[in-house]
Amino acid sequence: MKRAGLQSNVLNIDPRAPASSAYIKISGAAGLVRQLFRHTSDDWALSVHTNGHNPKSWLVALVCGIAAQFGPAATLTLHSGGVSAYLNSGSKWRKLIASMACLMYSRIVCVNTEISRVIARLGVPDTRLQISPAFLPVEAPNVAVPEEVEKWIERHSPVLSAAMFFRPEYGFDLLVEALRELKATHRGIGCVVMGDGEHRDEALSLVRRAGLEEAVLLVGDVDHEQCLALMARSDVFVRPTFMDGDSISVREALALGVPVVASNVGTRPAGTLLFQAGNARELAGQLENAIPGNRTISERERETQASTCLKS
């Protein structure tokens, strides 16, 4: 939006987010309410991007929806593969809060058909629903990888990259298991992992127990340009999640020309090498196929494997 000459502010409610000129950091519920009403009263349109698979997500959507009533029409984007399970297994109160939140938006962007169906069952008119990935095509950024990371990359081959939170659903344990298997045939293999989370210390301990301290580099949260630069420097991008909606990082890696290996959950775009979610051996096998010089499948087979997958 800024490149198009339009005004745009980002309200970042992640409590771990560092101070940055790229967004307005929100501290607590009162701070969020203050910023919401300040913007809507000044005629700013709200676009709310959230996962939709936990109570906090829907409470934020509800509060933002209320604020939107004092400004222009607002948009809600739901991106998590866990939306359907969360709402289908929930109480009447859970569904009521979600329904109330959704009805306050003029448009709800669902990143796949499955999410659209479950939102429609809440009583949201089809005319308000749009199925679309929350993604814009990207190009390799003109930024350098940090020097210490670049030196680490130069010492490893092949180099994998991944972007995740350190939570069980992101499959870091699975990635470590696959890397341990691959190291037997690729002694110089390395994996740069971008992201953070409440289980980061446990992730570090797991890496040490697996004897992969030299093979796995946890770089923490990085800005978007650095994330794209690290993706572009890698030989393969990997997404080992147990649930997904339509992963932005998968689409970005493909747009950068980087081979992608991802679990067969959610929606995966054409060009993705798929493996059965939770199967570390199959993950290792597909990583082996994706590594430059080791590809053993034809382009036709790849297109067949990469057909769009919708799965709860």
Side-chain angles (χ1 to χ4, degrees), residues 119-135:
I119 297 302
R121 287 198 293 269
L122 295 176
V124 178
D126 289 342
T127 53
R128 297 193 189 184
L129 299 177
Q130 175 183 329
I131 302 171
S132 178
F135 165 78

Side-chain angles (χ1 to χ4, degrees), residues 13 39 118 139-140 196-197 226 232 238 242 244 249 254 266 269 293:
I13 66 170
H39 281 82
V118 75
E139 297 179 356
D196 210 335
Q226 285 291 339
V238 56
F242 287 88
D244 245 329
S249 59
L254 289 171

Side-chain angles (χ1 to χ4, degrees), residues 85-259:
Y86 177 78
L87 292 177
N88 287 333
S89 64
S91 65
K92 291 182 179 179
W93 281 107
R94 179 182 293 182
K95 294 175 183 176
L96 178 62
I97 291 172
S99 177
M100 290 171 57
C102 288
L103 290 171
M104 292 186 181
Y105 293 87
S106 63
R107 182 175 59 169
I108 301 170
V109 179
C110 306
V111 299
N112 62 37
T113 304
E114 187 179 3
I115 296 173
S116 178
R117 288 196 192 106
V118 75
I119 297 302
R121 287 198 293 269
L122 295 176
V124 178
D126 289 342
T127 53
R128 297 193 189 184
L129 299 177
Q130 175 183 329
I131 302 171
S132 178
F135 165 78
L136 291 174
V138 296
E139 297 179 356
N142 188 25
V143 298
V145 171
E147 184 178 357
E148 64 276 12
V149 178
E150 180 62 37
K151 288 180 180 178
W152 187 93
I153 289 173
E154 290 173 355
R155 295 198 305 270
H156 295 81
S157 181
V159 175
L160 313 181
S161 63
M164 63 177 64
F165 287 110
F166 293 107
R167 299 174 188 158
E169 65 265 29
Y170 281 84
F172 182 73
D173 295 15
L174 196 72
L175 176 59
V176 169
E177 191 175 342
L179 285 170
R180 186 164 54 181
E181 182 173 333
L182 285 169
K183 194 163 175 61
T185 52
H186 299 276
R187 300 183 66 84
I189 195 169
C191 184
V192 179
V193 181
M194 297 165 277
D196 210 335
E198 56 265 37
H199 300 295
R200 189 176 191 275
D201 290 343
E202 295 172 28
L204 279 169
S205 296
L206 178 64
V207 169
R208 293 189 192 103
R209 291 198 303 273
L212 295 174
E213 298 99 317
E214 177 53 31
V216 177
L217 179 65
L218 307 184
V219 297
D221 283 332
V222 296
D223 65 36
H224 190 232
E225 296 292 288
Q226 285 291 339
C227 180
L228 294 178
L230 287 167
M231 281 184 188
R233 283 289 284 113
S234 63
D235 298 301
V236 182
F237 181 78
V238 56
R239 179 80 172 174
T241 50
F242 287 88
M243 65 169 73
D244 245 329
D246 189 320
S247 170
I248 297 172
S249 59
V250 165
R251 290 185 178 273
E252 288 176 333
L254 289 171
L256 293 170
V258 178

